[in-house]
Amino acid sequence: MRVPLSWLREYVDLPATETGRDVQAKLISAGLEVETVEQLGHDLKGPLVVGQVLTIEELEGFKKPIRFCTVDVGQANGSGEPQEIVCGARNFAVGDKVVVVLPGAVLPGNFAIAARKTYGKTSHGMICSGDELGMGDDGSHGIIVLPQETEVGKDAIELLELVDEVLDIAVTANRGDCLSIRGVARETAIAYGLPLRDPALLDVPGPNAFGYPVQVSDPVGCDRFTARTVTGLSPEARSPLWLQRRLQKVGMRPISLAVDVTNYVMMEVGQPLHAYDRTLVQGTIGVRRAAEGEKLVTLDGVERTLHPEDLVITDERGPIGLAGVMGGANTEIADHAESEGTTDVVIEAAHFDAVSIARTARRHKLSSEASKRFERGVDPQASSAAAQRTVDLLMLLAGGTAEAGVTEVIAPSAPHTIAVAADHPDKVAGVVYGRETVVRRLQEIGCDVYGQDELIVTVPSWRPDLGEGNDLAEEVIRLEGYENLPSTLPKPPSGRGLTHRQRLHRRVGRALAGAGYVEAPNYPFVGEQVFDQLGLDADDPARRVVRLTNPLNDEEPALRTSLLPGLLAALRRNDGRGSHDLALFETGLVFLPREEQGVAGQLPVDRRPTAEEIAAIDAVLPEQPRHVAAVLAGAREQAGWWGKGRPADWADAVEAARTVAAETGAELIVRKGQYGPWHPGRCAELAVVTAGTERVVGHAGELHPRVLKALGLPARTSAMELDLDVLEQAGDDTPRAPGISTFPVATQDVALVVDAYVPHADVEAALREGAGELLEAIRLFDVYENAEQLGDGRKSLAYALRFRAGDRTLTVDEASAARDAAVALAGERTGAVLRG
């Protein structure tokens, strides 16, 4: 919301010495976000005067039309002689009053004006357009043409109000009242402790039976509709300069008198209005929901197919406007002209349901100044005053006559009252304000307050955001000054610090970072189409998602059940920008819906919630286990003078999982698996044993080529994902000092021949169990396949077994016996036989 300081001063008698910066500081202290204060005309220097065009000579022989003009500027040039000026604009004629900048002046942008020779003539100044003066577009796209009654030689800086300060306020969604000069003036008056001249305090005639006929069929969607009629408007009447300038300063373009007046009143009072050409409205004006398939051409020239939930304004032909959003082209006000133009108008000032207007605006992707105000809350009591203000301005500026008929259709409603303890703001803020301060502040914002210890507060009609006691407490606190709240830091008990879970998550992150991975946090939102791209089965539990009621992005309306979609998108994005060797990881929550859905209660803010209240909230929230995931693509080891390097592959993803498991102290079971996005021949299923039960905690390996194609990923991309919470339950990360034996190690190598489909993990597990407690370590150091020597479908696995005792030197017989026992158990379980 742009608020000119000159306009604001009409309703609040600010001290003459107060600048826009001073007002900005006051409003920020009161809780409004004033982003900038724009200094209009601060770099403008005269002389800038009104001139009248005397002659125009068309100059020939140039690539574009050029005109040599003489302009009467009175005594502003010191001589009284006509000023000779070269100009390329075409939208003015002899006799027109224009704005002339004379030599010695400086225009916005530090553009100095001097006499100069151009197009074979000497130009002594410029005839100005609105853009050159920093005014913005006035709709003419050319030279400013002033009304004929403007005095020649008059100072144009004062005439056009070129010097001003404009506050740019970022109005939050709950403060719709501040989308008007009236609302900001009220906040300014409170901040300065000054009286407010409310522009909505007007004498308004009561409704009668002679007004324009209106029928409201949906009183929920439209609880108030005021209609007034003005006839006999002068079709050639134009908006005066002061009106045009105020609209330009608030960021609106002047269009025509009737439209400009409705926009002006909307910015002044906050009530959106619409003016219909009465000659184009046929029959009774109605308010109803649209019928399926109805169409309407809005003022922007777009034909829109209406939705049954859209609220529309109608006449006997059908829709003539999208209620609270935009009018229809079939009743549009005609622009001013000599012979044709709107002379009779019907003015609509209505109050529409905020939710309905917000949904309609989003449904049609049509945000307007009116819809922005309705969806944030408009004062329903201001509609009659806004209509009266519009009637008064049209009569004043266009010579119209107000018809005696006044239409008001009102759905009965009672004022909103709130019962709140007088010391409630004290409890919320932790500051003792006292009853008198609370009552005074509530009265300043327009509330009626009764009672002693228990206050009965009637909320003003322009503050629909005040719905409960906490809202009233917030008003008291912000007006007393957030900066006056004491800053008290919590005092944690000594000796606590991070929890075990927090320390574990940090260790996991450091371990993966040490292994060459880069952390890449992602938003927790996904679109359900990603599950098809990942190749998940139709009944996969990961497809059950928690959907958001109001998602930030319509294409990602659900919360993630896996970290992979976000990580893979980050990998694709970085690969597309030229970074091809990638290793990324993330630890974060996933969201799993519960079988039974519940509704969370509202926690208190004036005290600490009890354990039962917190537990009740937790019971209806989705399960949120913490996962860890990693993705790899490109080179895992770079080539250089030291060697060839190597690409990342499925084994690196498995090793990342082992790294995470080692930090938790869990023993990770790695075996062949098949799941969703992973390649069926290069996928490892990862499991742990917790509470005596084996649980699958994730998968690792190379992604399926179909997934890579669907997601646009590099070839041979690998990934892993683990449930970190289950790993934590299964592990014991208590540090243990390694046992160091002074006795020598006995090494035995065995080569076992097994069927090609037998996993190495099964053979190793059997060897480890069979070797017993003397086995210190086992390592697979060779895999050999040769059909001529081993037979079809056979492979050789070579292991190095390290044996050691803590109390003696092992004999050859002891080491050999342990090795033989290991081989025997491997043969029994996997069919392995010693090679050779």
Side-chain angles (χ1 to χ4, degrees):
M1 176 67 188
R2 291 170 56 85
V3 180
L5 190 59
S6 59
W7 198 351
L8 194 62
R9 288 181 182 274
E10 283 197 6
Y11 309 119
V12 183
D13 289 327
L14 294 173
T17 56
E18 288 294 284
T19 67
R21 298 288 184 192
D22 298 328
V23 177
Q24 177 188 32
K26 285 283 190 179
L27 292 179
I28 288 176
S29 178
L32 294 186
E33 185 180 347
V34 185
E35 295 186 324
T36 60
V37 178
E38 185 178 349
Q39 307 288 334
L40 299 183
H42 73 283
D43 53 355
L44 177 64
K45 176 185 175 183
L48 189 71
V49 299
V50 176
Q52 184 170 24
V53 180
L54 301 178
T55 65
I56 298 177
E57 178 187 348
E58 300 289 346
L59 301 183
E60 306 292 340
F62 300 102
K63 292 182 179 179
K64 60 180 182 179
I66 297 297
R67 311 167 94 185
F68 180 65
C69 310
T70 60
V71 184
D72 177 15
V73 294
Q75 296 299 317
N77 58 3
S79 66
E81 295 295 323
Q83 201 80 2
E84 295 180 340
I85 299 174
V86 175
C87 184
R90 314 291 297 175
N91 69 312
F92 65 95
V94 172
D96 283 346
K97 301 287 181 67
V98 293
V99 178
V100 179
V101 56
L102 301 177
V106 178
L107 295 183
N110 199 28
F111 181 51
I113 303 299
R116 66 188 182 96
K117 191 169 183 178
T118 179
Y119 297 103
K121 301 284 187 179
T122 300
S123 182
H124 299 272
M126 285 176 52
I127 302 175
C128 297
S129 68
D131 287 334
E132 290 165 339
L133 298 179
M135 296 169 53
D137 180 24
D138 63 355
S140 66
H141 303 288
I143 294 301
I144 301 170
V145 178
L146 302 172
Q148 280 298 314
E149 62 271 15
T150 310
E151 179 185 350
V152 171
K154 184 178 178 63
D155 183 2
I157 295 179
E158 179 183 350
L159 175 70
L160 299 176
E161 301 177 17
L162 297 179
V163 178
D164 202 351
E165 294 181 278
V166 179
L167 287 71
D168 193 352
I169 304 175
V171 179
T172 54
N174 66 319
R175 290 304 304 273
D177 60 305
C178 288
L179 285 173
S180 66
I181 304 296
R182 178 195 186 203
V184 177
R186 182 180 292 108
E187 291 296 317
T188 306
I190 295 173
Y192 279 91
L194 296 171
L196 168 71
R197 288 188 292 276
D198 192 341
L201 291 180
L202 300 175
D203 291 330
V204 179
N208 53 52
F210 309 108
Y212 198 92
V214 173
Q215 180 178 0
V216 177
S217 303
D218 190 334
V220 174
C222 175
D223 58 6
R224 182 180 292 262
F225 195 107
T226 300
R228 300 289 299 274
T229 304
V230 180
T231 60
L233 299 177
S234 174
E236 63 271 11
R238 297 178 56 185
S239 300
L241 286 175
W242 65 266
L243 179 57
Q244 294 186 45
R245 287 298 294 132
R246 286 195 169 176
L247 290 177
Q248 289 172 332
K249 289 178 184 179
V250 298
M252 303 189 77
R253 182 173 65 86
I255 298 173
S256 64
L257 178 60
V259 175
D260 292 348
V261 167
T262 58
N263 286 337
Y264 178 86
V265 175
M266 175 181 69
M267 302 307 296
E268 181 182 57
V269 180
Q271 167 68 51
L273 301 109
H274 190 73
Y276 301 94
D277 189 328
R278 182 177 181 178
T279 61
L280 300 178
V281 179
Q282 299 181 11
T284 300
I285 292 178
V287 183
R288 61 170 172 81
R289 300 288 172 173
E292 185 72 45
E294 274 190 311
K295 297 183 183 297
L296 171 67
V297 178
T298 46
L299 288 174
D300 56 358
V302 178
E303 182 179 71
R304 304 181 185 277
T305 301
L306 303 179
H307 188 276
E309 292 184 6
D310 290 338
L311 199 64
V312 292
I313 310 298
T314 65
D315 64 6
E316 63 183 26
R317 296 166 298 178
I320 59 173
L322 203 53
V325 180
M326 186 174 286
N330 52 357
T331 56
E332 182 178 5
I333 295 290
D335 202 351
H336 56 77
E338 292 266 340
S339 59
E340 58 182 48
T342 299
T343 59
D344 301 340
V345 298
V346 178
I347 300 162
E348 166 207 307
H351 184 261
F352 301 110
D353 175 61
V355 174
S356 176
I357 300 306
R359 288 177 176 172
T360 295
R362 285 157 178 73
R363 188 179 299 120
H364 294 281
K365 295 180 172 60
L366 185 62
S367 179
S368 64
E369 293 291 341
S371 67
K372 282 195 300 184
R373 284 162 175 79
F374 278 123
E375 64 190 40
R376 285 166 173 80
V378 168
D379 181 3
Q381 302 291 337
S383 58
S384 299
Q388 182 63 45
R389 176 73 165 141
T390 305
V391 169
D392 292 343
L393 286 173
L394 287 176
M395 293 169 60
L396 174 67
L397 302 176
T401 301
E403 289 193 351
V406 177
T407 302
E408 279 195 11
V409 180
I410 302 174
S413 62
H416 180 52
T417 59
I418 302 171
V420 62
D423 62 349
H424 182 65
D426 302 7
K427 294 180 179 178
V428 174
V431 175
V432 178
Y433 293 122
R435 180 188 178 280
E436 290 185 3
T437 299
V438 171
V439 171
R440 174 172 56 85
R441 288 303 190 182
L442 293 179
Q443 289 175 339
E444 284 179 345
I445 64 174
C447 296
D448 291 330
V449 185
Y450 303 95
Q452 293 298 318
D453 294 338
E454 185 80 9
L455 301 180
I456 304 300
V457 181
T458 302
V459 174
S461 58
W462 56 82
R463 292 299 302 273
D465 59 305
L466 303 181
E468 60 171 359
N470 291 327
D471 298 326
L472 300 179
E474 181 183 5
E475 291 300 296
V476 174
I477 295 168
R478 75 173 180 88
L479 294 178
E480 284 295 305
Y482 290 118
E483 69 277 10
N484 295 324
L485 292 177
S487 298
T488 55
L489 295 176
K491 296 180 180 179
S494 61
R496 291 196 176 178
L498 298 177
T499 65
H500 174 270
R501 188 185 192 205
Q502 290 170 329
R503 291 195 298 270
L504 172 62
H505 296 162
R506 293 191 179 190
R507 288 205 315 273
V508 168
R510 285 195 295 267
L512 288 173
Y517 291 82
V518 176
E519 188 170 13
N522 295 281
Y523 288 115
F525 311 119
V526 296
E528 296 181 62
Q529 71 279 358
V530 75
F531 300 128
D532 296 327
Q533 296 170 330
L534 290 175
L536 300 186
D537 294 335
D539 58 349
D540 194 297
R543 285 183 176 270
R544 293 186 64 245
V545 295
V546 178
R547 291 178 178 82
L548 301 172
T549 302
N550 190 20
L552 296 178
N553 184 351
D554 291 340
E555 296 181 358
E556 295 180 334
L559 292 173
R560 65 189 178 189
T561 57
S562 166
L563 301 183
L564 288 184
L567 266 184
L568 293 174
L571 185 141
R572 179 181 65 246
R573 188 162 51 250
N574 282 275
D575 180 72
R577 294 175 181 174
S579 299
H580 303 302
D581 303 324
L582 296 162
L584 309 177
F585 83 94
E586 178 181 8
T587 61
L589 302 179
V590 299
F591 305 86
L592 310 177
R594 299 183 185 272
E595 293 296 333
E596 295 184 5
Q597 300 294 326
V599 178
Q602 192 169 4
L603 292 178
V605 297
D606 57 345
R607 59 175 174 80
R608 176 180 174 82
T610 64
E612 291 76 14
E613 289 171 332
I614 296 175
I617 293 289
D618 289 338
V620 298
L621 292 176
E623 296 180 17
Q624 301 175 51
R626 183 171 291 272
H627 281 202
V628 57
V631 294
L632 306 97
R636 185 65 177 139
E637 296 177 3
Q638 296 290 337
W641 57 265
W642 54 83
K644 295 182 179 180
R646 69 174 182 85
D649 62 14
W650 63 270
D652 293 303
V654 175
E655 184 60 27
R658 292 185 188 276
T659 299
V660 173
E663 290 298 323
T664 67
E667 184 176 348
L668 196 64
I669 301 170
V670 181
R671 56 179 176 238
K672 182 179 179 180
Q674 181 174 346
Y675 177 70
W678 281 277
H679 190 295
R682 298 169 190 155
C683 173
E685 184 178 81
L686 310 173
V688 294
V689 176
T690 174
T693 304
E694 185 176 289
R695 291 182 61 180
V696 175
V697 292
H699 295 81
E702 182 181 315
L703 298 181
H704 198 288
R706 284 198 300 267
V707 174
L708 301 182
K709 182 178 180 180
L711 294 176
L713 299 172
R716 312 302 292 269
T717 296
S718 300
M720 78 88 183
E721 182 167 12
L722 293 169
D723 188 326
L724 197 53
D725 286 354
V726 177
L727 278 177
E728 181 182 4
Q729 296 170 15
D732 180 6
D733 59 354
T734 303
R736 292 183 176 84
I740 301 176
S741 175
T742 59
F743 296 97
V745 67
T747 302
Q748 298 273 353
D749 292 346
V750 294
L752 302 178
V753 178
V754 297
D755 291 331
Y757 62 82
V758 175
H760 137 70
D762 292 350
V763 179
E764 179 182 318
L767 289 173
R768 189 183 297 276
E769 183 180 343
E773 61 183 13
L774 294 178
L775 182 67
E776 182 181 76
I778 181 171
R779 178 174 64 88
L780 175 69
F781 66 86
D782 184 53
V783 178
Y784 178 70
E785 295 182 2
N786 188 311
E788 293 183 2
Q789 297 184 17
L790 303 177
D792 291 336
R794 304 280 281 175
K795 64 181 178 183
S796 171
L797 304 176
Y799 294 89
L801 306 173
R802 291 168 57 91
F803 298 98
R804 195 194 311 256
D807 57 351
R808 68 186 187 282
T809 298
L810 292 178
T811 65
V812 173
D813 291 339
E814 288 178 308
S816 298
R819 178 203 63 191
D820 293 341
V823 171
L825 186 59
E828 179 183 336
R829 291 188 177 177
T830 66
V833 296
L834 279 171
R835 180 179 168 191

